[in-house]
């Protein structure tokens, strides 16, 4: 059955909604906690690491429970409906900054960030699994995944382009901390409306071949033996590490390397010596420009790469994207900080290479779910997709914490007017070279991923035959 434009678009709205907060967490959590909330870089890094490691285990539980959920709305859609309100409320509270000091402030960060990550799993794991049961046709899944990736980037574009710009605007009337909360409150309202539309306009059509009541431990055991799942998950972790380490350090790169900090009276100001198209530009605007350009280019790249994926295969194209994006990343180490146009150009090249890999990854998880069902006779879509969310979170954990630890190692202190040139140059080097660790790991994982297009088509045929026999 061919899926309508409205249903594909509505499904994509779900990821746009999730990405309003996911992009916020992945890109601005670090600088929010250090520069706005007032937590030391190492403390923030440890908090992000601890909470995300605990939360990763929760994804598997949600995925397994969602597989066993049976309601008139389906297995996965109810989670989106009932999780929308608490997800948005907790997301707002996470970026609210009460007047706490010392240990109380850090404790608040641990509790609210931990609660948010748990609620993200409650909504996003079933949301991801929903794509695997909307259609049994591999070509339709690829199309749905493209809609998802494009609209996810719309969410990223809103966050990247608006967050620091609107924080700067609202800071003219309110404190920077309150300004941040106002912006997040707006995102929460948009997120709620988008999740409800996703629930209302999507349908679950693919049922398991067998409805036997197998144990969760059996599903996990099957998955642990599934080599395509193992290597795809490793590649997914690497991809998230690669992209998030770049995006999360972009604000630091713009503020502390490209811009210059100076005191005017008793106030601190950052100004950029170079100009962009002859116009002076603030570090907030330049950072937003780099990030929002990345989101737009990802949308364009997704449209351009679809026929390339059809011709050369998902795995091969993904590996090529890693290589080309790595070359673009390294180039930032050699660009003078006043060459704003060249920095923007390299950002475009970086993003057009790595951005489209998101839609490739999501469609590959649907392929893995089919392969698992053919081999075991049981469908564990929620569990398979929970590993994708787990990969996202682990990639964010590694990138967010490792980036902050690296900044701490070179002597970084937020808003330090006496920051040495050595520290500033170190920020640029970390920004350019650190993502390459993830790139190498991702390519290695994809080399061992052996689920090719022929096998994917054969699995789809076998599943249709198995269901036809049961109906008879």
């Amino acid at each position: 059955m061919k899926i309508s434009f409205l249903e594909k678009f509505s499904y994509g709205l779900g990821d746009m909604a999730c990405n309003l907060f996911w992009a916020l967490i992945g890109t601005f959590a670090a600088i929010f906690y250090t520069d706005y909330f007032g937590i030391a870089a190492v403390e923030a890094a440890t908090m992000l690491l601890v909470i995300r490691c605990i939360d990763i285990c929760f994804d598997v539980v949600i995925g397994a429970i969602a597989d066993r959920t049976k309601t008139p709305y389906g297995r996965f859609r109810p989670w989106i409906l009932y999780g929308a309100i608490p997800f948005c409320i907790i997301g707002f509270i996470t970026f609210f900054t009460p007047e706490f000091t010392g240990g109380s402030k850090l404790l608040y960060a641990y509790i609210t960030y931990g609660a948010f990550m748990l609620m993200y799993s409650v909504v996003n794991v079933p949301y991801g699994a929903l794509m695997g049961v909307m259609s049994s046709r591999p070509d339709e899944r690829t199309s749905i995944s493209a809609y998802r990736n494009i609209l996810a980037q719309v969410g990223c574009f809103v966050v990247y382009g608006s967050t620091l710009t609107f924080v700067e605007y609202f800071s003219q009337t309110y404190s920077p901390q309150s300004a941040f909360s106002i912006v997040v409150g707006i995102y929460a309202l948009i997120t709620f409306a988008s999740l409800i539309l996703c629930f209302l306009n999507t349908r679950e059509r693919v049922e398991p071949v067998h409805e036997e009541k197998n144990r969760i431990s059996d599903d996990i055991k099957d998955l642990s033996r599934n080599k395509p799942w193992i290597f795809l998950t490793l590649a997914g972790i690497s991809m998230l590490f690669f992209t998030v380490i770049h995006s999360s350090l972009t604000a630091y790169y713009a503020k502390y390397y490209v811009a210059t900090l100076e005191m005017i009276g008793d106030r601190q100001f950052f100004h950029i010596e170079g100009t962009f198209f002859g116009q002076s530009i603030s570090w907030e605007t330049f950072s937003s420009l780099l990030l929002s350009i990345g989101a737009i280019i990802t949308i364009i790249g997704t449209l351009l790469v679809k026929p390339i994926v059809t011709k050369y295969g998902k795995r091969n194209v993904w590996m090529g994207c890693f290589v080309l994006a790595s070359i673009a990343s390294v180039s930032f180490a050699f660009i003078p900080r006043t060459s704003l146009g060249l920095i923007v150009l390299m950002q475009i090249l970086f993003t057009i290479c790595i951005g489209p890999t998101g839609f490739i990854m999501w469609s590959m998880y649907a392929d893995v779910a089919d392969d698992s069902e053919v081999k075991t006779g049981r469908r564990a879509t929620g569990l398979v997709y929970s590993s994708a969310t787990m990969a996202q979170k682990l990639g964010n954990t590694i990138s967010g914490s490792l980036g902050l630890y690296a900044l701490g190692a070179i002597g970084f202190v937020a808003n330090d007017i006496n920051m040495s040139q050595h520290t500033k140059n170190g920020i640029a080097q970390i920004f350019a070279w650190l993502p390459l660790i993830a790139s190498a790991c991702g390519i290695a994982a994809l080399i061992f991923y052996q689920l090719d297009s022929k096998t994917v088509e054969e699995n789809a045929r076998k599943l249709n035959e198995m269901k036809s026999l049961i109906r008879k």
Side-chain angles (χ1 to χ4, degrees):
M1 177 180 177
K2 190 170 180 62
I3 308 299
S4 69
F5 165 79
L6 176 62
E7 186 168 357
K8 292 177 182 177
F9 181 81
S10 297
Y11 180 75
L13 282 178
D15 212 27
M16 185 194 80
C18 291
N19 267 275
L20 288 175
F21 277 107
W22 189 252
L24 194 66
I25 287 291
T27 304
F28 296 116
I31 201 164
F32 168 76
Y33 282 120
T34 59
D35 289 37
Y36 292 88
F37 201 45
I39 299 175
V42 174
E43 288 181 337
T46 303
M47 186 272 293
L48 295 174
L49 181 63
V50 170
I51 294 298
R52 287 170 177 171
C53 285
I54 295 172
D55 178 54
I56 285 169
C57 302
F58 192 65
D59 292 345
V60 177
V61 176
I62 290 295
I65 295 174
D67 278 327
R68 290 158 175 79
T69 301
K70 290 186 180 181
T71 74
Y73 298 133
R75 297 173 186 270
F76 306 117
R77 292 170 62 238
W79 294 78
I80 299 172
L81 174 64
Y82 297 120
I85 290 178
F87 173 60
C88 294
I89 292 175
I90 293 173
F92 171 76
I93 292 173
T94 300
F95 286 92
F96 181 72
T97 53
E99 296 296 327
F100 291 156
T101 58
S104 298
K105 180 180 291 188
L106 188 59
L107 179 62
Y108 179 87
Y110 268 90
I111 293 172
T112 55
Y113 185 71
F116 170 77
M117 295 305 289
L118 292 179
M119 279 309 306
Y120 184 86
S121 296
V122 167
V123 172
N124 195 256
V125 169
Y127 166 79
L130 176 60
M131 188 181 78
V133 297
M134 288 173 65
S135 175
S136 59
R137 292 173 51 181
D139 59 330
E140 281 296 298
R141 289 174 177 171
T142 300
S143 178
I144 294 169
S145 184
Y147 275 83
R148 173 181 184 168
N149 199 49
I150 289 171
L151 284 164
Q153 293 308 313
V154 171
C156 290
F157 174 76
V158 171
V159 173
Y160 296 160
S162 302
T163 303
L164 293 179
T165 301
F166 279 113
V167 167
E168 182 183 18
Y169 171 77
F170 287 122
S171 293
Q172 297 174 17
T173 306
Y174 305 95
S175 68
Q177 292 79 11
S178 297
F180 215 109
S181 298
I182 292 171
V183 174
V184 176
I186 295 171
Y187 293 161
L189 294 175
I190 299 172
T191 296
F192 174 74
S194 299
L195 288 174
I196 296 303
L197 287 173
C198 176
F199 165 79
L200 291 173
N201 295 319
T202 54
R203 294 294 179 269
E204 299 183 25
R205 299 178 178 84
V206 179
E207 292 294 332
V209 174
H210 299 292
E211 289 286 355
E212 57 185 314
K213 295 183 178 179
N214 51 298
R215 296 175 299 178
I216 294 177
S217 59
D218 292 333
D219 286 348
I220 295 175
K221 187 181 296 183
D222 290 338
L223 207 56
S224 67
R225 297 170 179 170
N226 189 318
K227 290 184 179 180
W229 170 80
I230 292 170
F231 292 117
L232 178 58
T233 300
L234 291 173
I237 292 170
S238 300
M239 185 194 73
L240 265 296
F241 176 18
F242 185 79
T243 56
V244 174
I245 195 69
H246 179 87
S247 61
S248 65
L249 289 174
T250 296
Y252 291 98
Y253 175 77
K255 183 176 181 178
Y256 296 104
Y257 177 71
V258 178
T260 300
L261 175 63
E262 63 180 18
M263 294 293 295
I264 299 179
D266 60 347
R267 297 188 63 186
Q268 295 179 337
F269 289 89
F270 289 84
H271 73 274
I272 294 179
E273 295 178 10
T275 60
F276 190 71
F277 287 111
Q279 301 295 318
S280 299
I281 189 170
S282 68
W283 78 265
E284 292 98 339
T285 302
F286 189 62
S287 177
S288 298
L289 175 67
L290 291 178
L291 292 167
S292 57
I293 281 177
I296 295 172
I297 295 301
T298 294
I299 295 172
I300 297 171
T302 299
L303 297 173
L304 294 176
V305 83
K306 282 182 66 179
I308 301 175
V309 168
T310 302
K311 184 173 182 179
Y312 295 104
K314 300 171 186 177
R315 184 193 72 155
N316 294 335
V317 173
W318 192 351
M319 291 172 66
C321 287
F322 264 133
V323 172
L324 295 175
S326 297
I327 295 172
S329 181
V330 171
S331 68
F332 285 100
F334 305 99
I335 301 175
R337 66 185 184 86
T338 55
S339 300
L340 305 188
L342 190 55
I343 292 173
V344 171
L345 176 61
M346 286 301 104
Q347 175 72 0
I348 291 173
L349 293 177
F350 174 88
T351 311
I352 203 168
C353 293
I354 199 62
T357 56
F359 109 85
I360 297 174
M361 181 189 72
W362 290 117
S363 64
M364 287 169 75
Y365 271 109
D367 299 338
V368 168
D370 281 356
D371 188 64
S372 176
E373 186 174 13
V374 168
K375 290 176 178 176
T376 66
R378 297 189 297 270
R379 189 169 190 87
T381 310
L383 190 59
V384 169
Y385 273 89
S386 71
S387 66
T389 307
M390 181 183 70
Q392 283 189 313
K393 291 182 177 180
L394 189 53
N396 268 287
T397 298
I398 297 170
S399 58
S401 297
L402 187 58
L404 286 172
Y405 281 131
L407 291 177
I410 61 173
F412 168 82
V413 177
N415 301 313
D416 180 12
I417 192 171
N418 298 313
M419 184 178 293
S420 68
Q421 191 60 47
H422 172 75
T423 300
K424 294 177 181 178
N425 291 338
I427 292 172
Q429 295 301 314
I430 292 170
F431 180 70
W433 291 98
L434 197 57
L436 267 65
I437 299 173
S439 178
C441 294
I443 292 172
L446 289 170
I447 289 174
F448 292 98
Y449 179 86
Q450 298 299 321
L451 199 58
D452 56 23
S453 300
K454 183 178 179 181
T455 305
V456 169
E457 294 291 341
E458 182 67 14
N459 283 339
R461 184 188 64 78
K462 288 179 180 178
L463 288 174
N464 285 331
E465 288 180 354
M466 291 162 69
K467 290 172 184 176
S468 297
L469 289 172
I470 289 174
R471 294 189 192 103
K472 293 179 181 178

